[in-house]
Amino acid sequence: TLGDIQRAAASEGALVSLAHPTLFPPEVFGDTCRGCYLEAIEQVDWEATELIEVVTEGVLAEIGGTEVPNPFVDTAVELWEEQLRAGNRLTAVSGSDDKEGDRYGSTITMVRADQLSRTAVDRALRRGHAYVRGFGQSSPTVEVTATPTGPAATDGPDEAMMGDTLVADSAELDVGVSGGGGDFLALRRDGTEVGRVPIDSDDFATTFTITRDPASGPLGTFWGIEVLDVTTAPGTELRTVITNPVFLGDTPAEPVPQLRPAGYYGEEAGIQQDDQQGDQGDTDAGADPQSGRPDEDGPRTTGGTFPVLILLVAVVGLGVGGFVVGRRLFPTDPTDPTGTSGPAEEDDTTTHR
């Protein structure tokens, strides 16, 4: 089954993603795009899934030779937020799905990683340190930072970015938007819009007060940001930016997978094994026999200095009918700990676009 494939891939350190899961549902579009819709969604093992594609091709898509607002963005976001509410922590990403090159880059996933390497990008994606620009490089860019305003856990972080969890009842969410003048900034709580402000300049900043609702799901209360373009397609709101949320919880988040033995990357890689809170002390990376996931090391909450490098990336993977498995994302050669030399010729690595 699909779940078996996912678990097997995850147990070997693969980054598992669902590509265009709601694209062209056959009950509406027939065989317009055979293989586009993820019809085996009931077989998905959400515990073995790390990423989900919420924008495919861009917020404007070419359908029947005409460029129109992409109707599948809303349905993909709905699926993603539904899974977040259910307790399945997925990172939202995007892809142009371009097979020929003319629309490559029509949507971009921005990733904040520690360095320019495959390993660093992989770890950042698993943490949710990413957001989607639905218009590609024409989209605004954003910065999101949350700081507790009330009592916070003494062992928790004192600052968070998108994808992180703050163990706190309330926080200030600082949002900066560049290049979004004339658009709207929407604040979403647990998948529902609860606030909106106009972006009145191309260098815009605002602050929201966010709180934890004890009635929220297992991941706590999640707060996301969207930038909405209301002028390009009159009568339609285009989600030009979709961020992964900041979570307010009563307990720390689950750890991020540690896929290699401690010290495998080497000091020269610039990636510390304990670059999240605390040193877990694990020296061997195996698989959890229950979930199929690798052993984990390092909580998903962050502490200390944020990563300083933002990358434009496509998810590295092998696309199979709405299902993507990242293969050979980690270096197979311990003498190349950063993975910057690129895949070897025999590596089965392609680009999910």
Side-chain angles (χ1 to χ4, degrees):
T1 67
L2 178 56
D4 293 333
I5 297 171
Q6 289 182 273
R7 288 185 289 274
S11 70
E12 296 204 9
L15 191 62
V16 179
S17 175
L18 298 185
H20 46 74
T22 65
L23 197 68
F24 290 107
E27 65 270 19
V28 178
F29 293 92
D31 60 358
T32 300
C33 187
R34 295 180 62 186
C36 290
Y37 186 76
L38 183 57
E39 296 188 58
I41 195 165
E42 71 283 351
Q43 299 180 22
V44 170
D45 184 340
W46 296 103
E47 286 293 320
T49 307
E50 297 287 351
L51 314 178
I52 184 169
E53 188 176 271
V54 297
V55 176
T56 304
E57 190 176 341
V59 291
L60 288 179
E62 187 174 313
I63 299 178
T66 303
E67 196 169 58
V68 298
N70 188 337
F72 308 115
V73 174
D74 289 350
T75 53
V77 169
E78 288 171 5
L79 175 61
W80 168 52
E81 292 176 331
E82 173 186 310
Q83 292 305 317
L84 291 178
R85 287 191 296 270
N88 297 310
R89 197 177 187 118
L90 306 175
T91 297
V93 295
S94 68
S96 68
D97 203 44
D98 186 1
K99 308 302 189 296
E100 298 178 354
D102 57 331
R103 293 188 65 84
Y104 191 74
S106 57
T107 181
I108 290 174
T109 301
M110 300 288 289
V111 177
R112 175 154 286 193
D114 298 296
Q115 63 173 208
L116 183 57
S117 72
R118 290 179 292 173
T119 54
V121 171
D122 180 283
R123 289 172 67 83
L125 284 169
R126 293 177 190 271
R127 292 187 180 117
H129 293 177
Y131 69 92
V132 169
R133 297 173 70 190
F135 264 148
Q137 294 191 56
S138 298
S139 299
T141 58
V142 300
E143 292 283 343
V144 177
T145 305
T147 53
T149 55
T154 57
D155 61 345
D158 56 8
E159 191 174 64
M161 66 174 296
M162 59 190 80
D164 292 337
T165 293
L166 280 177
V167 183
D169 291 330
S170 62
E172 294 295 308
L173 189 69
D174 297 317
V175 183
V177 182
S178 297
D183 294 340
F184 284 87
L185 184 69
L187 177 69
R188 296 177 70 81
R189 180 186 64 208
D190 291 345
T192 299
E193 183 177 323
V194 293
R196 179 182 294 206
V197 295
I199 301 174
D200 55 16
S201 71
D202 279 335
D203 186 15
F204 177 82
T206 191
T207 300
F208 298 101
T209 298
I210 60 176
T211 58
R212 182 177 70 86
D213 184 350
S216 293
L219 298 178
T221 306
F222 60 90
W223 295 85
I225 292 293
E226 293 183 346
V227 176
L228 305 174
D229 179 331
V230 298
T231 59
T232 299
T236 303
E237 296 179 342
L238 301 177
R239 288 166 148 142
T240 59
V241 170
I242 301 169
T243 74
N244 283 283
V246 171
F247 300 84
L248 294 185
D250 56 1
T251 58
E254 291 184 1
V256 175
Q258 168 60 45
L259 302 176
R260 297 294 187 204
Y264 177 88
Y265 300 110
E267 291 297 326
E268 67 272 26
I271 304 177
Q272 299 178 10
Q273 301 301 316
D274 58 341
D275 61 350
Q276 295 279 302
Q277 293 257 315
D279 183 358
Q280 305 299 314
D282 291 341
T283 58
D284 191 19
D288 179 341
Q290 298 299 319
S291 67
R293 286 173 177 267
D295 287 341
E296 297 175 330
D297 179 33
R300 200 158 182 160
T301 50
T302 59
T305 305
F306 285 152
V308 295
L309 180 63
I310 293 183
L311 309 174
L312 306 182
V313 303
V315 180
V316 177
L318 178 66
V320 185
F323 173 62
V324 173
V325 179
R327 300 192 59 193
R328 303 299 187 192
L329 190 56
F330 284 88
T332 56
D333 181 1
T335 64
D336 177 29
T338 66
T340 52
S341 64
E345 290 184 0
E346 65 272 20
D347 278 353
D348 188 9
T349 305
T350 57
T351 302
H352 164 46
R353 299 179 293 173

